[in-house]
Amino acid sequence: MTNFLIQLPGYLAFVFLAISLLVNNDIKFRWINSLGGLCFVFYGILINAFPIILTNAVLFSINIFSWLKYTAGGRNLTWYNSPVMRCLSRNSLHFIKRISRLISRVLLCRKNPVI
């Protein structure tokens, strides 16, 4: 049962990503795909797989940026002139620091370190 609970976020991510590919609306695609990416980040943390965490964190960021660009209408959306992007850039640095601390704690507490 414990093994299934560890794998559950991976299965949820698979379902979200599969559903997102069936959607015809760009905004729905970005949101559902972002949920899948977040599930994969959580799954990567649980199994100590940094490549999964990094890949899906980057894809999540691209999805959010594309969603913001799409919802901006015809306006020019750049990171330096959007209040939302300024907030995201401040908070993303904090998020990256917390995730890196969490990853280092998980990796240092393992009995059999991954080589």
Side-chain angles (χ1 to χ4, degrees):
M1 186 65 178
T2 308
N3 195 22
F4 177 74
L5 292 177
I6 291 173
Q7 293 178 355
L8 184 63
Y11 289 123
L12 284 174
F14 160 73
V15 169
F16 283 131
L17 293 179
I19 290 172
S20 74
L21 294 174
L22 299 173
V23 174
N24 292 332
N25 185 336
D26 277 349
I27 294 175
K28 287 181 184 179
F29 168 78
R30 296 292 177 189
W31 276 110
I32 297 171
N33 199 288
S34 296
L35 286 174
L38 281 178
C39 286
F40 264 131
V41 168
F42 185 63
Y43 176 65
I45 290 170
L46 288 177
I47 65 169
N48 300 320
F50 188 71
I52 292 175
I53 298 168
L54 182 64
T55 302
N56 288 287
V58 168
L59 292 176
F60 174 76
S61 302
I62 291 169
N63 277 330
I64 295 299
F65 181 77
S66 297
W67 174 78
L68 288 172
K69 188 175 179 182
Y70 185 78
T71 58
R75 295 176 289 165
N76 183 15
L77 181 69
T78 55
W79 67 271
Y80 55 85
N81 70 358
S82 169
V84 173
M85 292 306 289
R86 283 194 297 258
C87 177
L88 282 177
S89 64
R90 280 194 306 267
N91 291 333
S92 63
L93 182 61
H94 179 69
F95 175 74
I96 290 170
K97 286 180 183 177
R98 291 196 55 148
I99 289 294
S100 64
R101 274 191 238 128
L102 177 66
I103 292 169
S104 63
R105 285 182 191 157
V106 168
L107 293 178
L108 292 176
C109 292
R110 285 191 74 173
K111 294 180 182 176
N112 299 323
V114 177
I115 296 177

